[in-house]
Amino acid sequence: MEKAWLMALVLMSISISSLISFALAAEKFNVVGKVYCDTCRVEFETKLSEPIPGATVKLECRKVRDEAITFSRGAVTNATGGYSIPVKGDHEAEICKVSVEKSPRPYCNEKMESWEKSQVELTTQDGLAAPIRTANNLGFKKKEPLPGCPQVLKEMGFPLTPWAF
Ligand SMILES: *[C@@H]1O[C@H](CO)[C@@H](O)[C@H](O)[C@H]1NC(C)=O
């Protein structure tokens, strides 16, 4: 009788641990990042850059070989402009990128190459086991720069940037 109990217990713990590893395999990574408004139209971050809540981003993985899409998932940024995208499986030999899709701000919705996409590695084959993978900040360019921009850029050591003003 005791043996049967022991057997049942062993079987149960095996199935629980395989369930857990299945769950881990199912959602292996979380891609996190932030979306900003480039309020100075300079295509880099300044202290006047503002997080954008409610922006839409999309993570897409494609095979290196034929560019077939293997994974695609969208997200919307929260109150502090952050997003978190759970990712299923390992994406070795694939290129995964997060891109900005839509800005909720009509006065800050211009895309720019430097803040439009960020590549993320989504494999443990690279030697990293960390489940959180942080993308570079993404963003949109504001239509009109803030009045405070020249001063902030000067403080940052940049001369006046005529293309921005
Ligand atoms: C917004 O999302 C980021 C990334 O997931 C998270 O770190 C942050 O705590 C969230 N902030 C709020 C206010 O929910």
XYZ file of all heavy atoms in Angstrom, residues 102-155:
425
model
N 2.087 52.625 -34.354
C 1.178 53.763 -34.334
C 1.347 54.584 -33.078
O 1.518 54.046 -31.985
C -0.270 53.254 -34.377
C -0.962 53.501 -35.722
C -2.371 53.004 -35.692
C -3.354 54.162 -35.768
N -4.748 53.691 -35.944
N 1.284 55.906 -33.256
C 1.319 56.811 -32.117
C -0.080 57.353 -31.877
O -0.788 57.673 -32.828
C 2.263 57.974 -32.409
O 2.069 59.006 -31.459
N -0.479 57.471 -30.611
C -1.801 58.032 -30.334
C -1.782 59.563 -30.410
O -2.818 60.190 -30.293
C -2.077 57.566 -28.909
C -0.723 57.443 -28.294
C 0.217 57.057 -29.407
N -0.587 60.162 -30.586
C -0.483 61.624 -30.596
C -0.331 62.147 -32.023
O 0.700 61.923 -32.655
C 0.743 62.073 -29.796
C 0.715 61.590 -28.378
C 1.882 62.163 -27.602
N 1.760 61.783 -26.203
C 2.640 62.078 -25.267
N 3.722 62.754 -25.596
N 2.443 61.709 -24.020
N -1.333 62.881 -32.487
C -1.255 63.397 -33.848
C -0.090 64.368 -34.036
O 0.431 64.493 -35.140
C -2.593 64.105 -34.062
C -3.330 64.054 -32.785
C -2.592 63.205 -31.807
N 0.334 65.036 -32.967
C 1.438 65.992 -33.081
C 2.795 65.328 -32.862
O 3.837 65.976 -32.892
C 1.250 67.149 -32.094
C 1.111 66.691 -30.652
C 2.233 66.524 -29.846
C -0.146 66.400 -30.116
C 2.116 66.067 -28.548
C -0.276 65.949 -28.813
C 0.864 65.785 -28.039
O 0.737 65.326 -26.755
N 2.787 64.024 -32.615
C 4.058 63.307 -32.465
C 3.894 61.903 -33.033
O 3.795 60.924 -32.287
C 4.476 63.256 -31.001
S 6.200 62.719 -30.816
N 3.834 61.818 -34.353
C 3.594 60.508 -34.977
C 4.483 60.247 -36.195
O 4.244 59.335 -36.962
C 2.109 60.358 -35.365
C 1.680 61.400 -36.385
O 2.497 62.207 -36.840
N 0.413 61.412 -36.733
N 5.506 61.082 -36.339
C 6.394 60.918 -37.487
C 7.405 59.805 -37.179
O 8.081 59.859 -36.144
C 7.124 62.240 -37.702
C 7.607 62.492 -39.102
C 8.258 63.875 -39.200
O 7.605 64.886 -38.831
O 9.422 63.924 -39.621
N 7.510 58.819 -38.073
C 8.492 57.759 -37.844
C 9.870 58.225 -38.277
O 9.995 59.104 -39.127
C 8.104 56.510 -38.634
C 6.917 55.782 -38.027
C 6.683 54.460 -38.708
C 5.401 53.829 -38.160
N 5.073 52.585 -38.873
N 10.879 57.683 -37.678
C 12.253 57.985 -38.097
C 13.057 56.705 -38.024
O 12.857 55.878 -37.138
C 12.853 59.081 -37.215
C 12.658 58.817 -35.749
S 13.069 60.208 -34.730
C 12.010 59.878 -33.316
N 13.948 56.567 -38.968
C 14.672 55.311 -39.122
C 15.378 54.881 -37.838
O 15.316 53.727 -37.436
C 15.682 55.449 -40.249
C 15.971 54.131 -40.932
C 16.857 54.325 -42.154
O 16.509 55.169 -42.998
O 17.886 53.659 -42.224
N 16.029 55.854 -37.173
C 16.855 55.506 -36.016
C 16.050 55.027 -34.799
O 16.585 54.338 -33.947
C 17.737 56.687 -35.631
O 16.971 57.864 -35.553
N 14.776 55.412 -34.692
C 13.974 54.992 -33.536
C 12.815 54.105 -33.932
O 11.883 53.914 -33.176
C 13.392 56.213 -32.796
C 14.368 57.070 -32.085
C 15.692 57.242 -32.372
C 14.094 57.920 -30.958
N 16.236 58.143 -31.503
C 15.281 58.577 -30.632
C 12.936 58.166 -30.200
C 15.373 59.479 -29.573
C 13.023 59.067 -29.159
C 14.225 59.713 -28.845
N 12.849 53.583 -35.136
C 11.677 52.852 -35.616
C 11.725 51.360 -35.292
O 10.689 50.725 -35.089
C 11.569 53.058 -37.135
C 10.259 52.538 -37.700
C 10.135 52.784 -39.194
O 10.978 53.503 -39.753
O 9.188 52.251 -39.770
N 12.945 50.815 -35.258
C 13.091 49.369 -35.079
C 14.228 49.054 -34.135
O 15.205 49.795 -34.087
C 13.437 48.725 -36.430
C 12.251 48.542 -37.313
C 12.606 47.676 -38.502
C 11.323 47.325 -39.219
N 11.364 47.546 -40.631
N 14.093 47.932 -33.437
C 15.196 47.476 -32.603
C 15.274 45.962 -32.679
O 14.274 45.269 -32.479
C 14.976 47.919 -31.160
O 15.903 47.275 -30.313
N 16.455 45.462 -32.985
C 16.617 44.012 -33.063
C 16.843 43.442 -31.665
O 17.554 44.049 -30.852
C 17.799 43.679 -33.972
C 17.877 42.203 -34.305
C 18.809 41.932 -35.481
O 19.022 42.788 -36.331
N 19.349 40.733 -35.514
N 16.234 42.292 -31.377
C 16.445 41.615 -30.090
C 16.812 40.151 -30.345
O 16.285 39.534 -31.265
C 15.202 41.682 -29.164
C 15.069 43.039 -28.528
C 13.923 41.341 -29.916
N 17.720 39.645 -29.528
C 18.096 38.232 -29.627
C 17.129 37.433 -28.772
O 16.979 37.712 -27.584
C 19.523 38.028 -29.117
C 20.597 38.722 -29.934
C 20.661 38.233 -31.372
O 20.396 37.025 -31.602
O 20.943 39.047 -32.263
N 16.479 36.441 -29.368
C 15.517 35.636 -28.615
C 15.879 34.158 -28.661
O 15.105 33.316 -29.111
C 14.098 35.874 -29.154
C 13.593 37.305 -28.958
C 12.219 37.482 -29.575
C 13.546 37.660 -27.475
N 17.108 33.890 -28.199
C 17.561 32.509 -28.136
C 18.467 32.354 -26.928
O 19.126 33.313 -26.525
C 18.306 32.124 -29.434
O 18.832 30.805 -29.291
C 19.445 33.079 -29.745
N 18.471 31.153 -26.334
C 19.419 30.906 -25.250
C 20.705 30.319 -25.825
O 21.672 30.102 -25.115
C 18.842 29.930 -24.198
O 18.349 28.793 -24.893
C 17.731 30.576 -23.408
N 20.703 30.082 -27.157
C 21.889 29.540 -27.828
C 23.028 30.553 -27.847
O 24.155 30.228 -28.162
C 21.554 29.125 -29.269
C 20.399 28.149 -29.391
C 20.609 26.882 -28.592
O 21.672 26.283 -28.639
N 19.600 26.475 -27.848
N 22.707 31.825 -27.577
C 23.756 32.851 -27.556
C 24.474 32.872 -26.203
O 25.313 33.723 -25.957
C 23.183 34.231 -27.889
C 22.103 34.677 -26.912
O 21.879 33.971 -25.904
O 21.491 35.723 -27.135
N 24.105 31.934 -25.323
C 24.766 31.845 -24.036
C 24.085 32.652 -22.949
O 24.443 32.571 -21.786
N 23.089 33.441 -23.324
C 22.348 34.223 -22.341
C 21.093 33.457 -21.941
O 20.329 33.051 -22.801
C 21.914 35.564 -22.945
C 22.949 36.670 -23.070
C 22.345 37.855 -23.814
C 23.393 37.110 -21.676
N 20.908 33.281 -20.632
C 19.714 32.575 -20.191
C 18.620 33.548 -19.773
O 17.487 33.153 -19.532
C 20.060 31.637 -19.047
N 18.954 34.846 -19.677
C 18.004 35.836 -19.159
C 16.697 35.849 -19.937
O 16.705 35.954 -21.158
C 18.639 37.214 -19.202
N 15.573 35.721 -19.223
C 14.280 35.724 -19.909
C 13.832 37.123 -20.356
O 12.998 37.248 -21.229
C 13.322 35.152 -18.874
C 13.964 35.407 -17.561
C 15.444 35.438 -17.790
N 14.379 38.158 -19.715
C 13.988 39.526 -20.089
C 14.974 40.049 -21.123
O 16.183 40.087 -20.867
C 14.001 40.477 -18.866
C 13.138 39.925 -17.738
C 13.591 41.887 -19.278
C 11.692 40.278 -17.794
N 14.464 40.405 -22.275
C 15.322 40.946 -23.326
C 14.874 42.389 -23.586
O 13.719 42.619 -23.952
C 15.211 40.101 -24.601
C 15.589 38.625 -24.372
C 17.088 38.480 -24.111
N 17.470 37.195 -23.558
C 18.135 36.267 -24.239
N 18.429 36.442 -25.497
N 18.499 35.154 -23.642
N 15.789 43.308 -23.376
C 15.432 44.720 -23.481
C 15.766 45.275 -24.868
O 16.903 45.179 -25.321
C 16.166 45.529 -22.391
O 15.889 44.909 -21.132
C 15.687 46.966 -22.349
N 14.762 45.839 -25.497
C 14.961 46.458 -26.812
C 15.427 47.900 -26.623
O 15.173 48.505 -25.580
C 13.651 46.431 -27.588
N 16.111 48.426 -27.626
C 16.454 49.851 -27.589
C 15.166 50.667 -27.573
O 14.144 50.222 -28.084
C 17.243 50.254 -28.840
C 18.624 49.634 -28.870
O 19.162 49.245 -27.830
N 19.182 49.515 -30.056
N 15.240 51.873 -27.031
C 14.069 52.732 -27.013
C 13.622 53.054 -28.437
O 14.445 53.209 -29.337
C 14.379 54.039 -26.279
C 14.542 53.812 -24.788
O 14.000 52.853 -24.247
N 15.291 54.675 -24.134
N 12.319 53.104 -28.587
C 11.741 53.431 -29.891
C 10.976 54.740 -29.757
O 10.731 55.204 -28.646
C 10.788 52.320 -30.327
C 11.392 50.928 -30.470
C 10.294 49.907 -30.727
C 12.408 50.903 -31.605
N 10.592 55.313 -30.899
C 9.835 56.548 -30.757
C 9.381 57.181 -32.039
O 9.620 56.669 -33.145
N 8.707 58.288 -31.859
C 8.200 59.100 -32.956
C 8.740 60.516 -32.806
O 9.054 60.962 -31.693
C 6.672 59.151 -32.914
C 6.009 57.827 -33.110
C 5.672 57.045 -32.012
C 5.720 57.355 -34.380
C 5.050 55.815 -32.173
C 5.098 56.132 -34.553
C 4.759 55.360 -33.463
N 8.782 61.205 -33.930
C 9.298 62.574 -33.932
C 8.139 63.558 -33.867
O 7.147 63.409 -34.569
C 10.118 62.784 -35.202
C 10.928 64.015 -35.175
C 12.176 64.033 -36.044
C 12.176 63.472 -37.408
N 13.410 63.762 -38.136
N 8.308 64.569 -32.999
C 7.283 65.605 -32.843
C 7.317 66.544 -34.043
O 8.371 66.802 -34.612
C 7.564 66.376 -31.553
C 6.436 67.258 -31.058
C 6.780 67.786 -29.658
C 5.705 68.736 -29.140
N 5.683 70.005 -29.878
N 6.161 67.058 -34.408
C 6.097 67.937 -35.583
C 6.821 69.254 -35.346
O 7.546 69.747 -36.207
C 4.639 68.194 -35.979
C 3.982 66.957 -36.564
C 2.859 67.306 -37.528
C 2.428 66.112 -38.353
N 1.591 65.142 -37.632
N 6.604 69.841 -34.153
C 7.266 71.104 -33.806
C 8.124 70.887 -32.574
O 7.642 70.359 -31.580
C 6.213 72.186 -33.481
C 5.296 72.538 -34.627
C 6.028 73.236 -35.762
O 7.092 73.851 -35.495
O 5.548 73.144 -36.911
N 9.399 71.300 -32.594
C 10.229 71.134 -31.394
C 9.744 72.018 -30.245
O 9.168 73.081 -30.485
C 11.612 71.556 -31.864
C 11.388 72.390 -33.071
C 10.120 71.924 -33.703
N 9.972 71.569 -29.024
C 9.609 72.361 -27.854
C 10.515 73.598 -27.783
O 11.679 73.537 -28.188
C 9.788 71.533 -26.577
C 8.855 70.342 -26.382
C 9.261 69.559 -25.134
C 7.408 70.805 -26.268
N 9.983 74.682 -27.213
C 10.793 75.912 -27.115
C 12.058 75.717 -26.276
O 13.056 76.414 -26.483
C 9.857 76.910 -26.429
C 8.505 76.301 -26.419
C 8.622 74.835 -26.693
N 12.027 74.760 -25.352
C 13.185 74.552 -24.483
C 14.330 73.794 -25.131
O 15.402 73.640 -24.530
N 14.141 73.307 -26.343
C 15.148 72.432 -26.970
C 16.520 73.083 -27.191
O 17.536 72.466 -26.868
C 14.602 71.847 -28.260
S 13.312 70.618 -27.957
N 16.583 74.315 -27.731
C 17.916 74.890 -27.966
C 18.763 74.911 -26.694
O 19.949 74.541 -26.718
C 17.594 76.310 -28.445
C 16.231 76.208 -29.038
C 15.506 75.177 -28.211
N 18.143 75.289 -25.580
C 18.867 75.354 -24.308
C 19.356 73.966 -23.885
O 20.516 73.784 -23.513
C 17.947 75.967 -23.237
C 18.596 76.174 -21.887
C 19.851 77.041 -21.970
O 19.916 78.003 -22.748
N 20.881 76.684 -21.183
N 18.464 72.967 -23.970
C 18.813 71.601 -23.565
C 19.937 71.041 -24.440
O 20.874 70.413 -23.948
C 17.569 70.687 -23.619
C 17.945 69.228 -23.567
C 16.635 71.019 -22.459
N 19.870 71.315 -25.732
C 20.915 70.815 -26.633
C 22.253 71.491 -26.353
O 23.311 70.867 -26.431
C 20.495 71.015 -28.086
C 19.327 70.120 -28.523
C 18.829 70.529 -29.888
C 19.723 68.654 -28.510
N 22.184 72.769 -25.998
C 23.405 73.498 -25.659
C 24.040 72.887 -24.408
O 25.240 72.629 -24.366
C 23.081 74.986 -25.423
C 24.156 75.913 -25.962
C 23.673 77.342 -26.071
C 24.105 78.148 -24.855
N 23.510 79.513 -24.875
N 23.182 72.597 -23.415
C 23.667 71.955 -22.174
C 24.300 70.597 -22.480
O 25.207 70.152 -21.798
C 22.505 71.724 -21.200
C 22.061 72.956 -20.447
C 20.717 72.743 -19.755
O 20.293 71.577 -19.590
O 20.088 73.767 -19.407
